[in-house]
Amino acid sequence: MRGLEQTGQARSNTAKHDEGIKLTTFIPVRFVRHKARKVVVEPTTPGQMASPMNPGQPMSVDANLMAALAKAFFWQELIDSGRVKNMTEMAKAEKVGLARMQKLLKLARLAPDIVEEIARGRQPAGLALLFFVENPLPDDWNEQRAVIGALAS
């Protein structure tokens, strides 16, 4: 797991050389991988991605992650209500591999406040569907907050 950190304040250096003046500008941003692309993380909002359309505002809702959350809650409801006998039956009915279904069903165990942050598009940079597929998710909500919070710190 990778965390994000503020890299410092913007600054500019000027140095005189025999060839002329050399200007060096340092801009404190980080490039991190989010889903399949790299994004800029602004130091003014640690852990939040910069929106290309609205600088200074967090990214919009992650449609893939929201769709996976909706499926997970729907599938969990089918299991809890007894409308399906087991996960194998449900995987066949939904035309999804059993392993994929098991990985997505863990999203139904997310803490409500984490789900709300994702729904509002305020999740930390790096928190995408791939994060949940590749990493184990603790059952305890406080541990979940710590794991996901580590992405933004």
Side-chain angles (χ1 to χ4, degrees), residues 96-114:
V96 175
L98 184 59
R100 177 79 171 168
M101 180 171 279
Q102 289 170 336
K103 289 179 180 183
L104 292 180
L105 262 172
K106 66 182 171 182
L107 292 172
R109 297 190 326 253
L110 274 174
D113 55 317
I114 295 172

Side-chain angles (χ1 to χ4, degrees), residues 2-34:
R2 287 176 283 185
L4 302 176
E5 58 189 64
Q6 186 168 345
T7 57
Q9 301 296 321
R11 64 180 184 272
S12 177
N13 296 329
T14 306
K16 290 191 178 186
H17 296 286
D18 293 336
E19 308 88 49
I21 297 175
K22 179 182 177 186
L23 295 174
T24 304
T25 302
F26 172 76
I27 301 171
V29 297
R30 288 177 42 101
F31 294 92
V32 296
R33 188 164 297 283
H34 179 73

Side-chain angles (χ1 to χ4, degrees), residues 84-139:
V84 293
K85 293 179 184 175
N86 54 38
M87 235 191 286
T88 306
E89 177 186 314
M90 187 166 55
K92 285 181 184 176
E94 293 287 325
K95 297 179 182 153
V96 175
L98 184 59
R100 177 79 171 168
M101 180 171 279
Q102 289 170 336
K103 289 179 180 183
L104 292 180
L105 262 172
K106 66 182 171 182
L107 292 172
R109 297 190 326 253
L110 274 174
D113 55 317
I114 295 172
V115 173
E116 184 175 341
E117 291 296 307
I118 292 169
R120 293 177 187 263
R122 297 190 311 216
Q123 70 272 14
L127 186 65
L129 181 57
L130 186 61
F131 173 84
F132 292 107
V133 170
E134 292 181 346
N135 296 294
L137 183 67
D139 289 327

